[in-house]
């Protein structure tokens, strides 16, 4: 029943050329939900001022094991939170002023909330803390026992579905899952910049996450509750992940040989034993007996529309506690980026382009291939991802040096190649065009208008260097477990966050596209059933800046705080 509920939701929330998925009939921007969650009645921990630059270059993140680990203290924990979830700038137009963040969100609505859990650390009392990005502070939601063992730090993520549904209606559940994927990517890049790494605690059930973060408590206004998503462990010690040890000597080459194309989707599977499972039980018991405080302030917007289907799919996709074998991609060389900026510069300058220069010169082929190798599961950006890839890219190439305009595909897993060939149009030629990665040419032709039409008539899909659709191995995944529906979108968001930063590093800009005509995309590709489904679009090009907008410092407002 839960599987069918998820499948029904997905079908119901498809956009089509004839109609859009159900959403609000009108939007009052003066009534937008508060993008910053606050809990009243909590002890506040003010973090050291944000904005510090760190030494590693963006290119150093290709080899995270070479970055010395920073000590775990309040300053560096604050930097982790800022670089992952904090503000990157303010924009102002006339009387209107809004914040941009390091982690993107559909419509800048930011349904994702972040929590820090710390035990046995000298720099902060043991407890569960909510991160307030606006103030760069922590609200202590729960005081835990001081007798708990040292956990380092954990990061918990949750979603306020209604914050997204206020604008996007029934499709909002999809977008919240995209944003969790983006947040995971942002957390990985932030951690790597500090010489730390991220481990997804995927065994946890949603109910247990809710208990740890206090989301099951009667502390939230009706319809403004938070839904649990994932717990992440931050490893703050010297980088020693087994992921790094695979093909390590090749990975360190300044100009590594290009991969042969063999084994690009292969992986190894580790033990299912979770060394942190006993500690999770201890932590849950501590949270249940801890001293909780604080009530969630109202997000203040008027609840004009109700979307019960979101609660239905959220219930159907609730994750139980699971055994999670850890799959690790066999690492391959990655094409070196020419970027000379620091990682913190690239992270803080990330933006979503609003419009592109439709007359831009072709982007260098090397930069294009670099971006695609960076989103392969064999790249360092995906070291935290614990499962075989289920998302593959179909790319509309418009302006890339040395490549004919047309449709290309990038299967991200070796076994998917034959499945994709069988599921798509018979007249696609499947000509491999690169020795650097499994990129296949399917069809030649000017696809700018097609790309624009498929992405809800948005020019950003056609005025770019390229745009793409992320196509998931869908029905078999949902058949295995309904809650894997969410994980498919997380994987899309993780790919999107990588593309955002890679675009910035190449001197371009990216934009995630959640609005597209689902089945029209499938029809174009020849997909006739739900074995594969398009879940997210993305586009990269040369941005056109709106000179009417003023850009203000991210945390200038803190200078006025005494």
């Amino acid at each position: 029943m839960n599987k069918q509920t998820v499948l029904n939701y997905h079908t119901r929330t498809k956009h089509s050329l004839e109609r859009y998925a159900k959403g609000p009939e009108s939007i009052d921007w003066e009534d937008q939900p508060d993008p910053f969650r606050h809990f009243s009645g909590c002890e506040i921990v003010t973090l050291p001022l944000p904005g510090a630059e760190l030494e590693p270059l963006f290119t150093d993140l290709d080899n995270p094991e070479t970055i010395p680990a920073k000590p775990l203290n309040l300053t560096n924990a604050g930097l982790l939170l800022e670089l992952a979830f904090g503000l990157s700038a303010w924009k102002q137009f006339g009387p209107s002023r809004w914040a941009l963040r390091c982690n993107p969100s559909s419509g800048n609505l930011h349904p994702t909330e972040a929590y820090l859990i710390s035990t046995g650390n000298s720099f902060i009392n043991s407890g569960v803390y909510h991160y307030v990005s606006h103030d760069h502070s922590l609200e202590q939601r729960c005081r835990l026992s001081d007798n708990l063992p040292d956990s380092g730090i954990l990061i918990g993520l949750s979603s306020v579905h209604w914050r997204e549904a206020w604008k996007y209606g029934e499709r909002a559940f999809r977008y919240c899952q995209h944003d969790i994927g983006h947040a995971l990517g942002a957390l990985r890049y932030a951690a790597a910049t500090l010489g730390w790494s991220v481990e997804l605690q995927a065994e946890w059930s949603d109910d247990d996450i809710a208990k740890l973060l206090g989301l099951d408590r009667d502390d939230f206004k009706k319809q403004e509750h938070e839904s649990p998503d994932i717990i992440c462990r931050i490893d703050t010690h010297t980088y020693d992940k087994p992921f790094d040890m695979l093909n390590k000597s090749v990975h360190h080459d300044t100009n590594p040989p290009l991969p042969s194309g063999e084994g690009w989707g292969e992986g190894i599977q580790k033990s299912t034993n979770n060394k942190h499972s006993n500690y999770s039980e201890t932590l849950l018991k501590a949270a249940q007996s801890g001293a909780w405080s604080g009530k969630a302030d109202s997000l203040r917007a008027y609840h004009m529309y109700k979307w019960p289907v979101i609660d239905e799919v959220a219930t159907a996709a609730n994750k139980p506690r699971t055994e999670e074998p850890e799959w690790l991609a066999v690492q391959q060389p990655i094409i070196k980026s020419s970027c000379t900026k620091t990682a913190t510069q690239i992270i803080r300058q990330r933006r979503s382009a609003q419009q592109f220069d439709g007359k831009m010169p072709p982007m260098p082929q090397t930069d294009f291939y670099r971006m695609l190798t960076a989103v392969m599961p064999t790249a360092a950006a995906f070291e935290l991802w614990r499962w075989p890839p289920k998302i593959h890219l179909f790319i509309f190439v418009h302006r890339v040096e040395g490549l004919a305009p047309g449709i290309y595909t990038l299967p991200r897993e070796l076994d998917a190649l034959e499945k994709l060939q069988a599921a798509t149009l018979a007249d696609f030629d499947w000509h491999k065009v690169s020795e650097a990665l499994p990129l296949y040419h399917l069809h030649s032709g000017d696809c700018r208008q097609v790309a624009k039409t498929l992405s809800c008539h948005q020019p950003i899909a056609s005025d770019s260097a390229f745009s793409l659709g992320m196509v998931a191995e869908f029905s078999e995944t949902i058949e295995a477990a309904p809650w894997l529906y969410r994980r498919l979108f997380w994987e899309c968001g993780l790919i999107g966050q990588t593309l955002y930063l890679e675009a910035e590093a190449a001197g371009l800009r990216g934009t995630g596209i959640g609005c597209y005509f689902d089945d029209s995309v499938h029809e174009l590709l020849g997909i006739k059933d739900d074995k594969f489904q398009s879940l997210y679009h993305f586009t990269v090009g040369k941005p056109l800046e709106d000179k009417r907008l003023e850009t203000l410092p991210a945390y200038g407002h803190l200078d006025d705080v005494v």
Side-chain angles (χ1 to χ4, degrees), residues 213-419:
L213 303 184
L215 309 184
D216 61 341
R217 299 173 58 81
D218 189 23
D219 293 336
F220 300 87
K221 182 178 177 180
K222 186 178 180 182
Q223 296 181 353
E224 296 182 5
H225 64 279
E226 297 176 23
S227 295
D229 286 303
I230 190 125
I231 298 292
C232 307
R233 178 178 177 270
I234 308 300
D235 188 342
T236 60
H237 300 96
T238 303
Y239 198 97
D240 61 356
K241 287 177 71 69
F243 177 93
D244 168 58
M245 301 307 294
L246 303 172
N247 294 330
K248 187 172 182 179
S249 61
V250 175
H251 188 56
H252 282 165
D253 289 345
T254 304
N255 294 295
L258 295 177
S260 65
E262 296 297 325
W264 44 263
E266 295 178 346
I268 61 172
Q269 191 155 301
K270 293 174 62 183
S271 169
T272 59
N273 294 331
N274 178 15
K275 62 184 178 181
H276 304 297
S277 59
N278 291 336
Y279 180 71
S280 67
E281 296 299 327
T282 301
L283 199 57
L284 281 172
K285 290 179 182 177
Q288 289 176 305
S289 61
W292 288 87
S293 60
K295 291 276 188 179
D297 294 350
S298 171
L299 297 177
R300 296 199 299 271
Y302 177 62
H303 295 257
M304 184 179 297
Y305 298 96
K306 308 293 190 296
W307 309 108
V309 70
I310 292 179
D311 290 333
E312 291 172 10
V313 70
T315 299
N318 182 274
K319 181 189 174 297
R321 189 162 185 87
T322 54
E323 292 282 334
E324 293 286 334
E326 187 167 353
W327 183 91
L328 294 174
V330 177
Q331 195 168 358
Q332 295 286 324
I334 183 170
I335 295 173
K336 188 173 178 60
S337 170
S338 60
C339 180
T340 59
K341 292 184 176 182
T342 64
T344 46
Q345 283 179 292
I346 293 295
I347 289 171
R348 291 189 178 112
Q349 77 176 51
R350 185 218 62 82
R351 305 283 187 272
S352 292
Q354 302 304 308
Q355 55 181 333
F356 288 126
D357 180 359
K359 298 180 180 179
M360 66 172 286
M363 72 176 292
Q365 186 182 99
T366 301
D367 290 344
F368 178 65
Y369 284 173
R370 157 73 191 194
M371 289 184 193
L372 297 187
T373 56
V375 300
M376 292 296 288
T378 51
F382 289 80
E383 63 191 358
L384 83 170
W385 196 249
R386 295 178 52 173
W387 309 279
K390 299 294 184 183
I391 305 299
H392 313 287
L393 309 185
F394 284 84
I395 308 165
F396 299 100
V397 169
H398 306 314
R399 302 170 180 89
V400 176
E401 184 181 75
L403 286 182
I407 305 174
Y408 296 73
T409 188
L410 184 79
R412 295 177 62 250
E413 202 269 332
L414 188 62
D415 291 341
L417 180 58
E418 290 186 7
K419 297 178 185 177

